[in-house]
């Protein structure tokens, strides 16, 4: 293949024990030569996935296992299982984010969060100076008044992070990230064709435990993969509104979902053949 030059350093934060589309996004980042992963952190999950105690650690173990399967091993640092308190607390995830943000590098740093902003808030509280050293690409929030999962899992953290005047934020809200959809049939078929990594990922979907009130339809949203457009790919075929000048504030409106989905399945297939 033609050589792809790295374009950014990436810190990836998610609630890995929740919706497995986060693990799809992690695999995509790990297989993308245009970004360089410098830290992976795991956050709390919404109680809808069961009692939160131990979930951040369990999810981090899942993320580490996936990276091992992909032959891209990297440590995953777990955060707390409770929401942001506004008070300093010791957190392996927050320490990892601070260290990665403060590390010297020849590429810009992007903190990709596709879950609650708990670990990001703890990191900014521990070291406010990191706000000027990275860009936050967040999958969450909603342009309309909607009960959006990533925001309402920890609204205090969201308010603290988004209210930071020194932090550049590129936001992929509910109305936008829902554009990244595949059918369950396509997801099962293409993951099962992609070797050990694909089979591992499909098992996470096939064994997902959710309350009985949750009913699955014929499609699945891969919204956590939206930030690949600003890390591992390119947003030239997507669109956003600029809501601030300094620092940069973007609200993404339209996504090139074909680019994201097809690149993921192609990279997973290529990794299987390697």
């Amino acid at each position: 293949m033609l050589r792809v030059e790295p374009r950014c350093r990436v810190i990836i934060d998610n609630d890995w024990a929740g919706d497995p589309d986060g693990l799809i996004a992690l695999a995509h980042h790990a297989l993308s030569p245009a970004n360089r992963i410098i830290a992976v952190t795991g956050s709390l999950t919404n109680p809808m996935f069961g009692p939160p105690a131990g979930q951040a650690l369990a999810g981090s173990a899942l993320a580490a296992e996936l990276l091992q399967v992909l032959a891209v091993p990297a440590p995953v640092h777990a955060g707390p299982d409770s929401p942001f308190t506004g008070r300093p607390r010791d957190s392996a995830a927050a320490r990892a984010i601070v260290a990665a943000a403060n590390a010297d590098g020849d590429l810009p740093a992007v903190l990709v969060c596709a879950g609650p902003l708990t670990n990001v808030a703890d990191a900014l509280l521990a070291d406010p100076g990191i706000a000027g050293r990275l860009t936050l690409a967040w999958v969450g929030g909603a342009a309309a008044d909607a009960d959006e999962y990533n925001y309402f899992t920890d609204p205090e953290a969201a308010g603290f992070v988004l209210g930071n005047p020194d932090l550049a934020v590129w936001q992929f809200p509910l109305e936008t990230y829902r554009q990244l959809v595949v059918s369950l049939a396509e997801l099962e078929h293409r993951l099962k064709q992609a070797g050990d990594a694909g089979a591992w990922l499909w098992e996470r979907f096939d064994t997902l435990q959710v309350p009985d009130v949750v009913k699955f339809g014929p499609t699945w949203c891969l919204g956590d993969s939206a930030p690949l457009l600003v890390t591992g790919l390119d947003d030239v075929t997507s669109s956003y509104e600029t809501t601030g000048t300094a620092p940069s504030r973007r609200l993404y409106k339209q996504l090139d979902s074909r680019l994201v989905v097809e690149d993921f399945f192609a990279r997973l297939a290529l990794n299987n053949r390697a």
Side-chain angles (χ1 to χ4, degrees):
M1 293 183 64
L2 298 174
R3 177 177 172 80
V4 176
E5 293 296 327
R7 59 185 297 185
C8 61
R9 296 173 296 139
V10 180
I11 304 163
I12 307 177
D13 181 84
N14 208 319
D15 54 337
W16 308 114
D19 189 330
D21 76 307
L23 295 167
I24 293 279
L26 177 60
H28 199 170
H29 273 104
L31 296 175
S32 296
N35 59 241
R36 184 187 306 154
I37 296 177
I38 56 174
V40 182
T41 55
S43 67
L44 78 164
T45 59
N46 190 288
M48 69 173 287
F49 289 104
Q55 289 289 75
L57 189 61
S60 296
L62 275 177
E65 183 180 339
L66 170 60
L67 292 170
Q68 193 73 39
V69 171
L70 292 168
V72 189
V76 184
H77 308 273
D81 287 311
S82 56
F84 180 63
T85 63
R87 297 185 298 274
R89 57 181 173 180
D90 185 49
S91 162
R95 292 197 306 270
I97 291 172
V98 169
N102 285 323
D104 292 331
D106 57 341
L107 298 170
V110 180
L111 170 49
V112 173
C113 179
L117 286 164
T118 311
N119 292 334
V120 183
D122 281 336
L124 285 168
L125 185 63
D127 185 353
I130 67 171
R133 297 183 60 86
L134 51 76
T135 295
L136 171 66
W138 183 46
V139 178
D145 185 15
D147 188 14
E148 196 278 320
Y149 172 90
N150 291 338
Y151 181 93
F152 281 101
T153 296
D154 194 346
E156 294 299 322
F160 181 79
V161 171
L162 300 178
N164 189 309
D166 300 318
L167 181 65
V169 180
W170 297 345
Q171 184 178 358
F172 300 85
L174 174 73
E175 297 85 354
T176 304
Y177 71 69
R178 277 184 171 172
Q179 297 169 23
L180 274 171
V181 177
V182 296
S183 75
L184 273 177
E186 178 186 14
L187 189 64
E188 178 178 5
H189 175 64
R190 298 186 74 171
L191 287 179
K192 284 183 174 181
Q193 287 185 322
D196 292 343
W200 189 96
L201 285 165
W202 175 248
E203 186 178 0
R204 305 287 78 74
F205 285 89
D206 202 32
T207 60
L208 181 63
Q209 299 294 315
V210 295
D212 291 339
V213 296
V214 176
K215 305 300 180 184
F216 297 123
T219 62
W220 200 285
C221 177
L222 298 181
D224 284 7
S225 296
L228 264 298
L229 289 165
V230 295
T231 58
L233 293 165
D234 199 301
D235 64 359
V236 67
T237 52
S238 299
S239 65
Y240 60 84
E241 291 179 356
T242 302
T243 59
T245 54
S248 172
R249 292 279 171 127
R250 298 179 184 177
L251 185 68
Y252 277 82
K253 308 290 285 185
Q254 295 291 329
L255 302 181
D256 189 338
S257 57
R258 188 214 66 84
L259 176 62
V260 177
V261 171
E262 288 301 324
D263 185 74
F264 168 66
F265 286 126
R267 294 215 171 274
L268 201 60
L270 291 169
N271 181 70
N272 183 45
R273 296 172 196 162

